[in-house]
Amino acid sequence: LQRLEHPKFRRFAAHETAWQLAQPLCEGRTVHLALHGVAGCGLTAIARCLVDDLEQTLGERYREIVSMCGECSHAMGDAQPYGPFQKALAHHFAIELLAAPESKLSDIDAALGDVFESVVPFSGILFPPVGNSAGGATSADEIVSSVAWMIRRICKTKPVVLFIDDVQWLDEASKTLLRHLLREFPVNGPAQVAIIVTSHEQTVLRKLGFAKSTRLEVPFPAREEQVQILTDGIGLNNAAAEQIVNRMGSTIAAQGGLVWLQQIVATLARADYLVATEYGFDLRDGQWPRDGQIPEEIRDVLLEQLRRFPQYRTIIDCAACACYAREFRGSIVAVALGIPRLELLRELDCSYRETRILY
């Protein structure tokens, strides 16, 4: 379980391509990089590993690298203005955002020190003014100008890496700010700035202003790569990893991604179905457990899909009862339903093509 919480990152072709696109920063040029792909394909892991690699490489040349990392929250209703930028800036300047409002402003003043000389109070991006208060920036233009000014000032002496995760959920104020930064620091410009984002929607990246040459699609890991993630990243032996990947199947894996893959391993570990061996963790007795449980997160998704396809509910229920974590013959379900085996196979094929639940 500890290995699951902190798995070792396994570099594949997508990471190497992303590294090549980020290399100009090491030469003092501006970088834009937008990673996109389906949910669960490893976007965040690749981006964070890339930021770490940039810090390590540039750290050999500069005394300090400024990394600002924020993520967008998938929340219902209106998102908090400048949410991911608040997180990124607060993380960099070690500002406690949950403190009382009065102490917040004091913390900002202390954290910024002599760095800022702008006539626009930079704290406006973190704490918008209330009523007629004069303690913050008075317009969106002042806020975006202040942030751009701050980044430009810092990058004169040290590289700046700005990483925003899940920009498909970006609030409108943050979209405006990000567009401004992309224009203020154009690709291959002289500023030592890297703007890196991830998104599960490519259309969002185009609307934000990321050129096609700066967008990189990250494919879902192939079967062999999934096995390597479980062996090299988590510590399973090859036989156990292959069994787990084969059990998930390509269609199920594509729905839940690497998150589901880890959840299945975590469920097996909690149930004591994994044992340590000389060559890594293996399934107990080398066999898939006959009474293995489906993780709740996966079960909830499958149940929701069942509600969308009521015409297949009976046949899928019968299949589930017959095969509960076991291999089974189609004739068993055919007998249970009282239909010819060929008709059953036709119905199973239709349900697979439409629902992707049975594999």
Side-chain angles (χ1 to χ4, degrees), residues 140-213:
D141 289 341
E142 290 178 337
I143 289 176
V144 298
S145 296
S146 294
V147 175
W149 180 90
M150 178 270 295
I151 293 177
R152 186 169 295 284
R153 184 179 179 95
I154 294 177
C155 76
K156 289 180 179 179
T157 57
K158 60 193 74 172
V160 175
V161 178
L162 174 64
F163 167 48
I164 303 296
D165 198 18
D166 288 327
V167 295
Q168 73 273 5
W169 297 323
L170 209 60
D171 62 272
E172 290 302 320
S174 293
K175 289 179 181 178
T176 300
L177 174 52
L178 185 53
R179 290 191 191 101
H180 180 81
L181 294 178
L182 292 174
R183 292 191 299 268
E184 186 75 12
F185 303 98
V187 176
N188 286 323
Q192 299 181 100
V193 176
I195 301 175
I196 302 173
V197 303
T198 65
S199 175
H200 298 308
E201 300 174 12
Q202 185 175 184
T203 304
V204 171
L205 302 175
R206 179 175 52 80
K207 292 180 178 179
L208 285 171
F210 284 93
K212 185 176 182 180
S213 60

Side-chain angles (χ1 to χ4, degrees), residues 94-155:
I95 299 169
E96 177 53 64
L97 294 181
L98 299 179
E102 294 78 9
S103 63
K104 285 177 181 177
L105 294 177
S106 299
D107 288 345
I108 292 173
D109 292 337
L112 302 186
D114 297 329
V115 174
F116 299 102
E117 299 171 355
S118 173
V119 295
V120 179
F122 184 73
S123 59
I125 188 175
L126 296 174
F127 314 106
V130 179
N132 296 322
S133 171
T138 58
S139 72
D141 289 341
E142 290 178 337
I143 289 176
V144 298
S145 296
S146 294
V147 175
W149 180 90
M150 178 270 295
I151 293 177
R152 186 169 295 284
R153 184 179 179 95
I154 294 177
C155 76

Side-chain angles (χ1 to χ4, degrees), residues 26 61 94 129 137 145 162 170 186 210 229 262 271 286 299 316 318 330 334:
C26 301
R61 193 179 314 168
S145 296
L162 174 64
L170 209 60
F210 284 93
I229 289 171
Q262 290 187 335
R299 185 168 59 245
I316 293 175
C318 287

